[in-house]
Amino acid sequence: MIKPPSHHRAGGFQNNYQDFEPKSLAEVLRWRWTAAREGRPRPPLAAIPVLPPELDFLHANARAGAAMQPCVTWIGHATVLAQLGGLNVLTDPMFSLRASPLSFLGPKREQPPGVTMAQMPRIDLVLVSHNHFDHLDEASVLALAAQPGGPPQFIVPLGLADWVRKRGIGSVVELDWWQGHAVQTRQGAAELVLVPAQHWSARGLTDRMRTLWGGFALFAPDCHLFFAGDTGYSRDFIDMRDRFAHRQGPAHGGGFDIALLPLGAYEPRWFMQAQHVNVDEAIRIHHDLGAKRSLGVHWGTFALSDEALDEPPRALTAALQRQGMAAQDFCTIAIGETLRLPTRLAGARG
Ligand code: ZN
Ligand code: ZN
């Protein structure tokens, strides 16, 4: 394994393998002007798949304690309700109409959340990957903090705990890359680790790279979950497989049972490649990690880039066929749909 250089820099952070170079205003304008001239993104060919949520199942499962059926439910974009270890875990909660600091301007939601905040079971743990507006949404964080039964535990990358505390929320832990946090599940102790991603951060004009970004590995007794956040392709995912071999080798039930990988906001490549994987790169991450199964998220919800909103699953199907992979190795599901996962607990159902 190549020892990655430190990601800590004066006043902020950088990627392990490829420094993020912000695009110039001229480049941003060139992208926007070209997209406008070419009429991109093209309108979707078909409606984005949406299913009514299985609320009875989700709530019964939330009450099942140690007997919970491990599963993931796609709320939309990078927001996933993961039920594992007897816990309700929410990734990058984003339930608002716009991914923007402004309520009247900025990328607008194309599909409502698959499960509304009011329909959610009580959330135990919230994983925030970074501070971009489509991943860290103030209204959603405040609504979670006010949920009946008390606020969830927020886990954020270095530098972001202040943002949470400033909103009156004390239950926040911030982690550096590779740093672990012990999580008490209803099946015993589990570990949550913040892992690197090749991306960047900024919420305003003066805070670029000041707070860290990343993904999460959650090793619950019944299910090992990986959530990438936003990322370009890098060697970081090979490093993860090496680092986690002691708990995911063949003697330990193999790799992640489910990897939530980004599958959208990748065109045009000259602009997006350093921050968002395309479908082929997402499949490479799936292989690098040694994931048993991956679910594509971060598509179909906000039009952030030049590919059509419904292109990622079509591109995924074609790429899987080219590579001779089974459709279930790396799938997409409908917004609101629940994907049930096998359990690691011997003798349990699933
Ligand atoms: Zn981002
Ligand atoms: Zn994003």
Side-chain angles (χ1 to χ4, degrees), residues 42 84 98 100 140 160 175 185 200 229 237 246 295 317 329:
R42 298 267 152 79
L84 72 175
R98 284 188 197 274
S100 159
S140 302
L160 260 184
L175 300 176
T185 76
W200 59 293
F237 301 96
H246 66 287
L295 174 69
T317 301
D329 292 350

Side-chain angles (χ1 to χ4, degrees), residues 129-135 199-202 213 229-231 275-276 298:
S129 67
H130 64 302
N131 71 356
H132 286 155
F133 285 91
D134 56 323
H135 297 259
H199 200 61
W200 59 293
S201 71
W213 51 93
D230 270 354
T231 190
Q275 51 181 313
H276 292 149
H298 202 267

Side-chain angles (χ1 to χ4, degrees), residues 77 93-113 133-134 137-140 301-304:
H77 205 52
M94 174 42 174
F95 293 81
S96 295
L97 186 62
R98 284 188 197 274
S100 159
L102 306 169
S103 62
F104 54 90
L105 195 71
K108 192 174 171 192
R109 189 163 205 121
E110 305 279 344
Q111 337 290 335
F133 285 91
D134 56 323
D137 176 62
E138 182 169 21
S140 302
T301 316
F302 294 99
L304 302 172

Side-chain angles (χ1 to χ4, degrees), residues 250-270:
H252 304 278
F256 290 101
D257 301 289
I258 186 75
L260 310 174
L261 302 182
L263 211 58
Y266 50 71
E267 294 284 354
R269 294 312 287 150
W270 70 267

